[in-house]
Amino acid sequence: FCAGVFIAAVDQTVVVTVLPEVMRDLRVGAGELDRAAWAVTGYLIGFTAAMPLMGRVADRVGHRTAFLAALLVFMIGSAAVALSPDLPRWLLGRGPEFSWLVGARVFQAVGGGAMIPIALVAAGELVPENKRPVAYWLVGASAEAGGIAGPLLGGAITGWLSWEWAFWLNIPAALAVGMLALRTPRGR
């Protein structure tokens, strides 16, 4: 579960170092940073909105099922972000539009934001009471480490690949996390 929290947190900040390329590809001018900031803000809004609801959902359907659903939403959202320059052309016959990226980021963030409360619920159920503080610390540390790693990974990715790869790489990472999550007990 901590690995899922880590990759979701990476996406909070990875966009910071890929944003100049995103702006160029989606025709957002250098004087439009207030508009470009929505690539970050949209993720934070979706992330924050999902958090209070998903702990309760995990209580109802079980932490593993809820976590796997959150991973699926995160993966679909990641693919949508990577495809966002092309989606308006494919669906509407128009050129790239920045709003498609922002919408995809919000959707992606709902899955990412759901992972933190679900990981906390899982820690409360799977870890003996005397070791829960360490489990909770690991969840928090995973979120913070992801936030720190995001710009570093984004810089490395844009140095070797295009910005879309910052989001395409989420898919194999999330699949690996999902495979690990399938090995945990179902829980409530």
Side-chain angles (χ1 to χ4, degrees):
F1 291 99
C2 288
V5 169
F6 177 82
I7 62 172
V10 162
D11 266 52
Q12 284 181 353
T13 56
V14 74
V15 74
V16 173
T17 49
V18 303
L19 196 54
E21 283 191 31
V22 170
M23 290 172 63
R24 184 190 68 237
D25 286 358
L26 296 176
R27 301 181 195 144
V28 177
E32 298 178 280
L33 289 177
D34 57 331
R35 189 170 148 222
W38 280 100
V40 177
T41 306
Y43 191 86
L44 294 175
I45 289 170
F47 199 87
T48 305
M51 290 178 82
L53 303 172
M54 291 312 294
R56 182 72 175 131
V57 169
D59 286 342
R60 293 269 177 161
V61 301
H63 56 266
R64 185 173 75 177
T65 302
F67 190 80
L68 291 170
L71 272 172
L72 181 62
V73 169
F74 182 77
M75 286 189 298
I76 293 168
S78 294
V81 173
L83 293 170
S84 64
D86 299 316
L87 289 175
R89 181 173 43 92
W90 294 341
L91 299 173
L92 304 171
R94 292 193 235 161
E97 295 176 22
F98 189 71
S99 59
W100 285 78
L101 178 126
V102 173
R105 289 279 292 163
V106 172
F107 183 82
Q108 175 196 33
V110 169
M115 289 188 234
I116 292 175
I118 295 168
L120 292 170
V121 167
E125 286 186 21
L126 298 173
V127 177
E129 190 172 342
N130 64 332
K131 296 188 180 181
R132 283 187 193 145
V134 173
Y136 294 145
W137 176 85
L138 285 170
V139 172
S142 298
E144 293 303 316
I148 292 167
L152 300 172
L153 291 171
I157 288 167
T158 56
W160 292 311
L161 304 165
S162 66
W163 67 266
E164 292 93 342
W165 283 97
F167 303 100
W168 284 126
L169 292 172
N170 286 338
I171 295 171
L175 286 172
V177 169
M179 298 300 285
L180 290 172
L182 285 171
R183 298 179 62 182
T184 63
R186 282 192 176 272
R188 256 186 270 136

